[in-house]
Amino acid sequence: MTAPLLEIRDYRLAFDTFDGTLHVLDGIDMAVAPGETLGIVGETGCGKSVLARSILRLNPMPPARVVSGEIRFRGADVLALPPADIRRLRGAAVAMVFQDPATYLNPLLTVATQMEDAIRGQDAAKGGPVRRRAAARDVAAELLAAVGLPEPRRLLASYPHQLSGGMRQRVLIAMALVGDPSLLVADEPTTALDVTVQAQVLALIASLVRERGLTLILISHDLGVVSASCARVAVMYAGTVVEEAPTGPLLERPLHPYSQGLIAAVPDLDRPEVRPKGIPGSIPSLLDPPSGCRFHPRCERATERCMVEKPLLRELLPGRRVACHHATAGDSPQ
Ligand SMILES: Nc1ncnc2c1ncn2[C@@H]1O[C@H](COP(=O)(O)OP(=O)(O)OP(=O)(O)O)[C@@H](O)[C@H]1O
Ligand SMILES: [Mg+2]
C-alpha cells in the first residue's frame, strides 16, 4: 500500500466536563491513502465530528484532552505541530466543510469579503506575498464558477442571507478549495439541505474529488449518503470504529453485529413489505461507557468475554476489518 496521507493510531480523546469525564473517542485506528474516498457513518453522538475536528486540532483544549495515540498527516505528527505549521495545515493541506453552512458564514459580510479574506489568509499562512483584494476577487469568482454557481460576480456582492441553503453550501465548498487542499473532510455537508439539493451537492463533491484528485473523508449518519459517495466505509459506534470495509461488500454482508443492525434499519424501497428493524436499546452514556465492547449491552451475540475484553479491529477478510470477538468471515446478515 502507498504511504497513507492520514494515519490515526490508537487515538483516545476525552472531554473533562462539570459532570465528569466524557470518554468520547476510544482507540481510533484509521488510515486513508492519497486519492481514497472514506465514509464515516454512525449514530448521533458517536464522535464523528470530534474525530473530524481532531485531524486539524480544532477541539477546544480544555475541555478536550488527548489521552493517547497519534495522528499523522503525510507522516507529520499533527498533535505535536507548532502553531504556525498547524495554521498551514488548516486549509492548505486539509479543508473542512461542515453541516450548517449558515453558521460558518458571517451574516454581516458579503461573500466577496469573506472569500477574499480566506484567500489572503492562505497567502499569509504560506508566508508568501499577500494578494491585493482585486486579485483575490478574481480567484474567488473562478472558485465559485468551479462549484457550479452561475453569475459569480453578482454572487460575490451578495450577503449570505440572500442565498439559498444549497448556494451557501457551495460557497463554503468553494472556500474550502481556496488553499488547494489534498484532503477534504466533509462533516454532514448535506444534512441541512433538502434531498434534491443534497444530491446536487454530493455530485459536486464527487466531481471535485475526481477533477482535483482530492482525498475525501465524508461523514454522515446516513449510510445511503456515504455509500453513494465513498469506496470504503468505517462504521463508528460510541467512539470506536467497529468495522471498516469496501462499500459494496459492507452493504451486502456486514460482519459486525452493529453494522448488521444499522443496515437492517435502512428501509428498502424495492421491498416495502419488509419492515426495517431497529437496534434494541440506546447509545450508551460516554460518561460511564460499557466495559469491554461498548456495543455489548445491545448485542445479541454478547458473551462474558465481550463485557471484559475490548475487541480490537482485526482483518477478517482482505481489506475488511472488524472489532468483534465473535465475527467470522462466514457471517452473513440475519
Ligand atoms: N466541546 C465539547 N465539550 C464537551 N463535550 C463535547 C464537546 N464536543 C463534543 N462533545 C461530546 O462528544 C460526543 C461526540 O460528539 P460529536 O459531535 O462528535 O457526535 P457526532 O457523531 O458528530 O453526532 P452527530 O451525528 O449528531 O453530528 C458527544 O457526547 C458530545 O456531547
Ligand atoms: Mg457531528
Side-chain angles (χ1 to χ4, degrees), residues 48-49 99 187-188:
K48 303 180 297 295
S49 297
Q99 171 169 349
D187 184 3
E188 308 259 11

Side-chain angles (χ1 to χ4, degrees), residues 264-322:
V266 179
D268 185 345
L269 292 180
D270 296 331
R271 295 167 67 200
E273 72 285 0
V274 180
R275 295 236 347 242
K277 278 190 254 165
I279 303 173
S282 53
I283 39 177
S285 159
L286 297 175
L287 280 174
D288 185 19
S291 56
C293 172
R294 286 188 172 187
F295 186 59
H296 86 253
R298 299 175 74 183
C299 183
E300 285 173 4
R301 302 178 71 176
T303 59
E304 211 143 306
R305 185 181 178 199
C306 308
M307 297 173 201
V308 289
E309 192 186 327
K310 178 181 152 76
L312 299 176
L313 270 180
R314 60 197 167 100
E315 187 150 10
L316 263 192
L317 289 165
R320 300 199 58 167
R321 302 198 302 156
V322 188

